Amino acid sequence: MRSYINCMSHTRANGYESWNEVGMAIYDNSPTSTGYRMWELFSKKSAKYNPVDFEVNGTAETSWRGFFQGVNKTNKITNRSLRFWASIDNQEMFNTLFKREYDEVKL
């Protein structure tokens, strides 16, 4: 998952809606503190990044709790969304990652 997040453009981290959707997709895959820190790592791609947002009751922390409460159930944003966005934002890197995953499955 982290590799796909690395493929994503900084512009995806700049807009609130796209930033929040990435958070939902990460939560779908890893609803843990590790997932939360991955979302913060992704957020650091933006010039708007503010570590206060990731503290207790910050914007990000409040959104993360909302994902837990089922806010994402109707949106259908999943961990597969991460792959899709990665393929759009950095097709060359995505293809390399996808091929590596495919080769591992073949073994």
Side-chain angles (χ1 to χ4, degrees):
M1 178 171 64
R2 185 180 198 143
S3 298
Y4 291 110
I5 292 168
N6 289 337
C7 286
M8 288 187 216
S9 169
H10 70 280
T11 57
R12 196 170 296 281
N14 285 333
Y16 178 79
E17 185 175 340
S18 56
W19 169 78
N20 202 51
E21 288 173 342
V22 170
M24 287 181 200
I26 292 171
Y27 185 90
D28 181 69
N29 187 68
S30 180
T32 63
S33 60
T34 301
Y36 187 67
R37 292 300 158 210
M38 271 193 230
W39 190 27
E40 182 175 21
L41 182 66
F42 166 74
S43 300
K44 288 180 180 181
K45 291 184 174 202
S46 173
K48 298 177 185 179
Y49 170 75
N50 183 348
V52 172
D53 291 339
F54 284 85
E55 293 177 2
V56 175
N57 294 323
T59 303
E61 199 266 342
T62 302
S63 292
W64 191 259
R65 281 184 287 138
F67 304 154
F68 174 75
Q69 295 168 357
V71 171
N72 186 33
K73 297 295 182 207
T74 58
N75 292 335
K76 305 297 183 212
I77 295 172
T78 69
N79 63 339
R80 289 182 181 219
S81 303
L82 295 173
R83 289 182 181 202
F84 176 71
W85 296 324
S87 72
I88 292 171
D89 292 357
N90 191 337
Q91 189 171 17
E92 185 177 336
M93 185 176 180
F94 173 81
N95 288 341
T96 300
L97 293 170
F98 189 79
K99 182 181 182 324
R100 187 178 312 143
E101 283 184 0
Y102 177 78
D103 289 344
E104 288 175 4
V105 171
K106 282 183 9 184
L107 297 175

